[in-house]
Every structure is written in structure tokens, then in C-alpha cells.
Amino acid sequence: VLLFLLLLSPSLIYAGCGNCDEVHACIERETEIDENLHACRTCKKLESDKDNNCPKFGSVCEDKFYINKLSANGNGKCLEARCVANAKMWLKLDGVTELVPKSRILCNNSEWMVDGFVVETAICAKDCNAGFCKTASPKHSTDFEPLQIILATESSEDKCATSTCANGLASVKADGSLLQDLHKSGIDVVTCSGDGTWTWTQDGEEKFVMCIASDCGPMKCPAFVNFNPILDLVPLTVTGNGKGCATAICTEGYVEIDTAGQFVKPIRTDGLICNTGGSWEATDGNKYAGVMCQQPPCAFICEYTPFVFNGPQGAEMTAATRKECTYSCPEGLSLFRYDANENAPVSIVNSAVCKSDLMYHVDSGNPMNKIGCYGCDQPDGEYTGASLDPATQAFPTFEGCVLSCPGGYKMYYYVVDPANKKQVAHLFSIIRVVGTKEFYEWYDLEQGELPYTLLKISCLPAN
């Protein structure tokens, strides 16, 4: 009924127009605008022809760059088509042989038009040739030089600009420091993308890629080689000026390391120089592929051999690494401390310091005389698989594969009957995979392996 009344009474719709004459004038004006603009709103989505519209070189073409939208035009809005971001529209016009680049086109008389020509097909393209990808990082040392751009041409195999360097390529950070030695990874050519980054095989992509300045500079010879941590070594101190060959020094003496990371022999030399073959050359002319530095000894000698604890199948730990008198583990491993004399529970820490009592000390906790590194695949954080006590709402937390309760709580576990729960200070866990299923294997750090894989674990108030 309401709709019927509205249709019968235009003055209800055009109340702002005043009297009936003004209402009819409003209707006529809107009808005229709609008639004028109708033909500039009815253009269909442009056909794209990637094979024929895309420039033969210097551009990356994608249909997805293209968008339609209404654009202000006179008293109303007409359709326009344009490309997103920095993409340019390449058009095939009726009666025109060459492709025409434009930033946008407008709908007119139900046809896409530009400069009086009808647009037949279009594609959006991003520039990937000169001037789009950066040749250097804003800040870089003399160890790197700007890229030399090889422009893409109609006859070139590459459609986009490329670059290669006589001494190899390196991706660098915005601050100019090394990110990756691409040459050592077997990458000798990079290609400019339509997004302003340099790309290479293996799905690599970085904003800044530069040339290694010297064929015997700091990038050529290794400052660090993998080694057995018990050897107690530190990396070389390497210097270079970008043009000459890099040099390396050790304050406490040089040590040759083989490809297996094992000690070969001490090297007697006053210094090392990198040669074009990628090896370090001593003052007597002998060449070495792997060299590390001896580090100053700690004033105290704590027991350094990794211990075997009642962990996963009695697994032997790896040795910790030393810096002065502080011991820590490589990334991904946790440092375990153990007092063999007291048969105390294992303690897990980030680092420990050897002191005059020949024990390993931490900021809080008793000193212990054994250390070792161990890792697992259990992520740190709350263990939400625990049985949450409704009254306390406290979850235990994993840190370095060790499960503990928060302060003021004690940990308990049971298998079936809560009445048979047992208190435990810490639980160590690894994830065991059998077929398509994975489950936790639990170890009491004081008692060793538990005979259960399925535990109910709770944190209950200590009082």
C-alpha cells in the first residue's frame, strides 16, 4: 500500500523540489542526465590479449593489474579503466598498428575510447627494464659495487633487465651488510621483476643485489667453518677494503680445520691473506681451506665433556661452545646442567659461567659440574594438552623441551586415576612419530624415562 501511494504521489519522493512544477522539472533533469550518461556506464570489461598486447620486452604483463571504476565526469559518473599501482595500460586501437600506452581510458557511447579511437584489447604491464630495479643499496661498504644493468631488447633472450658480475653477486640489506653470497650458492645472474626486486632461480628475491668488488675479498674466503665445539675455537677476524685481497688475523693463534670440522694442526703465521681460489694463504705460502682462531683460555678449567643423562634413550649430548668463561649452545639447542656428585635434577639454562670452584654457575640456582647441549622439536610455550585444573586455570609451559609449572604451583601427572597422581619437578618431552601419528614421549629429569606416552598433567597450587 505504501509503495502504491508513493507511486501515485511523486511529490512525496521529490519533497525537496517544492511545488508540482518543480517536481516535474527535477524528473526531467534526472531523465536527461541518465540518458546522457547511460552510454558511458555500459562498457563491458575489456578483452585482454597477453600475446599481442604485451610489449615484446621490458615489461611484465598480468590481467590482474586491471580494474574498472566509476569516475567523475561532468554532472555524473562514467566508467573508466586503469591499471593498479605502477602498471601501465597497453592498448590495441581500432585502425592503429602500434601498441599505445595510456594511464587510463574512459567509457563513451558504450565503447572504450581514447583520443577518438575505439579500444579493441588491453593489457596492464609493469616495467622491468632500466631504472626500475635498484643497482645498489643506499648504504654499502667498499666490499660491494653497483650492478651493471644489461637491458632487455627485442632480440634478447630475456624480456627483463638482467645483471651479472665478474666476481659474483651478493644480496645485501638496506644498511649495506651482506645478506647472502649468491655466487657461493651457484647464482650468477639476477633478473629485474615488475615489483622492483631482483629475482633468481630457487625462488630467490631481494630488493638490493650488488657486485662483489674483489675476487679475493671478504666474500671469497670463509671467516667461519663448522667445527667440533669441544675444540674451543672462534671465527677469524677478517678485514678488506673492497679492492685488494682480504686479510685475517687471530690474537691467540691459528688452527687448520678439515672438511669434517676436526682439528688438523696449528698454523704458524703472522697473518693470512685470501687468494682468488678461495683459500687462506699463510706468510710461508701454504694454503688452507678452513682456518679458525684459538681463543684466550678461561682462567678455570671446568669439566667440558658432555654428559649422558636419563633422557631420550640415554642420548649423548653435544659440547657447549665457550666465549671466555661463559658456555652456551648453538641456536636450537638447550644447555643442560647436572651435578654428578649430588645426583641432582637437570637444570636447563641459556648460559652458564665456569668459576674458581670449577662449577658452572647461573644467576639463580645451585652451581653444577656437568653441562651439555641437547635439542628437540617441541616448541616453547604453553602446553595446552595438559589437564587444566578448573579452580586454578594454570597451564604448564615448555621451555627448551622441558615442562614446568608457573611459580606457586606444583606439577602432577597420572595415567588413568587422578587419585594415583605423582608429583614431579620437571618433565622433558620429545615428539615421537609412528606412521601418521605423533605422540609425546615423557622423561622425568630426576628419574629418567617414564613408562607412559599418554599422561594427564596438571599444575596445582603449592599450598
Side-chain angles (χ1 to χ4, degrees):
V1 175
L2 178 61
L3 177 61
F4 178 73
L5 292 174
L6 289 173
L7 292 174
L8 289 178
S9 181
S11 60
L12 292 176
I13 303 174
Y14 293 94
C17 291
N19 58 36
C20 289
D21 292 337
E22 290 177 344
V23 168
H24 288 297
C26 281
I27 295 173
E28 290 177 0
R29 185 163 58 251
E30 289 198 0
T31 301
E32 181 183 0
I33 291 172
D34 186 63
E35 288 176 352
N36 291 338
L37 295 179
H38 177 73
C40 77
R41 292 176 177 171
T42 55
C43 288
K44 297 181 180 179
K45 182 176 180 179
L46 273 169
E47 292 293 325
S48 62
D49 188 347
K50 199 169 184 178
D51 294 333
N52 297 313
N53 277 70
C54 189
K56 300 302 180 184
F57 64 92
S59 296
V60 177
C61 296
E62 292 287 349
D63 295 334
K64 64 183 180 182
F65 295 157
Y66 160 85
I67 59 171
N68 279 350
K69 74 167 192 173
L70 287 172
S71 173
N73 184 23
N75 294 325
K77 288 182 178 290
C78 291
L79 278 177
E80 74 166 21
R82 60 183 178 84
C83 298
V84 299
N86 57 351
K88 183 185 296 182
M89 185 173 282
W90 287 86
L91 311 171
K92 176 66 177 69
L93 305 181
D94 183 28
V96 179
T97 305
E98 299 294 325
L99 294 176
V100 177
K102 288 290 181 179
S103 60
R104 67 170 186 160
I105 56 177
L106 292 173
C107 180
N108 185 18
N109 197 27
S110 298
E111 298 274 10
W112 290 108
M113 304 285 294
V114 64
D115 299 335
F117 292 92
V118 175
V119 179
E120 294 182 341
T121 57
I123 196 76
C124 288
K126 289 186 177 182
D127 186 15
C128 63
N129 226 358
F132 192 56
C133 290
K134 305 293 184 183
T135 60
S137 132
K139 301 176 182 179
H140 62 86
S141 70
T142 54
D143 293 328
F144 305 103
E145 293 177 340
L147 293 175
Q148 300 299 313
I149 304 297
I150 304 170
L151 295 179
T153 64
E154 190 169 2
S155 60
S156 64
E157 183 178 347
D158 297 297
K159 287 192 62 175
C160 297
T162 58
S163 184
T164 186
C165 301
N167 299 321
L169 296 157
S171 61
V172 296
K173 302 176 185 178
D175 63 5
S177 59
L178 175 68
L179 191 61
Q180 181 185 358
D181 187 334
L182 299 180
H183 179 67
K184 286 185 178 179
S185 301
I187 299 160
D188 294 314
V189 178
V190 289
T191 303
C192 180
S193 76
D195 295 318
T197 57
W198 291 101
T199 63
W200 54 89
T201 54
Q202 305 166 13
D203 297 325
E205 181 179 9
E206 287 296 339
K207 185 175 182 180
F208 301 114
V209 176
M210 298 188 68
C211 291
I212 297 171
S214 172
D215 62 353
C216 56
M219 303 300 108
K220 192 71 174 180
C221 296
F224 174 87
V225 291
N226 289 321
F227 66 97
N228 186 335
I230 205 165
L231 295 177
D232 216 14
L233 305 175
V234 292
L236 298 170
T237 300
V238 179
T239 57
N241 59 11
K243 298 298 182 183
C245 292
T247 58
I249 58 171
C250 295
T251 58
E252 298 291 327
Y254 305 80
V255 175
E256 182 183 4
I257 303 297
D258 64 17
T259 54
Q262 299 300 322
F263 171 85
V264 178
K265 63 178 183 293
I267 301 172
R268 300 188 182 281
T269 181
D270 294 329
L272 299 170
I273 187 167
C274 180
N275 62 36
T276 56
S279 60
W280 291 106
E281 187 171 332
T283 50
D284 60 5
N286 287 321
K287 299 177 178 62
Y288 305 93
V291 182
M292 294 284 283
C293 295
Q294 294 176 336
Q295 65 164 317
C298 176
F300 317 110
I301 305 175
C302 292
E303 173 58 46
Y304 193 49
T305 305
F307 65 95
V308 176
F309 77 116
N310 289 329
Q313 301 174 355
E316 184 174 347
M317 296 183 168
T318 58
T321 56
R322 178 179 69 86
K323 183 176 181 182
E324 297 176 347
C325 289
T326 299
Y327 292 79
S328 59
C329 294
E331 185 176 354
L333 301 181
S334 298
L335 183 66
F336 286 68
R337 297 187 313 139
Y338 177 72
D339 191 340
N341 299 325
E342 300 294 333
N343 196 26
V346 172
S347 166
I348 293 84
V349 293
N350 293 323
S351 62
V353 179
C354 176
K355 295 191 175 182
S356 58
D357 59 359
L358 307 186
M359 301 283 278
Y360 292 100
H361 292 249
V362 292
D363 291 338
S364 61
N366 296 326
M368 299 186 182
N369 60 7
K370 297 274 190 179
I371 61 170
C373 296
Y374 194 81
C376 74
D377 49 5
Q378 170 63 52
D380 287 354
E382 281 188 345
Y383 174 52
T384 55
S387 176
L388 186 62
D389 182 71
T392 60
Q393 300 292 308
F395 277 118
T397 301
F398 271 119
E399 184 175 356
C401 297
V402 176
L403 194 66
S404 303
C405 284
Y409 292 86
K410 291 183 178 180
M411 185 185 298
Y412 295 87
Y413 70 86
Y414 64 92
V415 180
V416 178
D417 186 359
N420 295 328
K421 67 178 182 291
K422 297 180 181 179
Q423 184 181 340
V424 61
H426 304 282
L427 287 173
F428 180 89
S429 172
I430 62 171
I431 297 176
R432 199 64 84 188
V433 179
V434 177
T436 59
K437 296 182 178 180
E438 63 178 34
F439 57 89
Y440 292 96
E441 195 166 272
W442 296 100
Y443 299 83
D444 181 339
L445 291 182
E446 296 180 48
Q447 303 299 326
E449 183 176 356
L450 297 175
Y452 318 107
T453 56
L454 299 176
L455 295 181
K456 300 293 185 182
I457 301 168
S458 295
C459 290
L460 301 178
N463 298 325

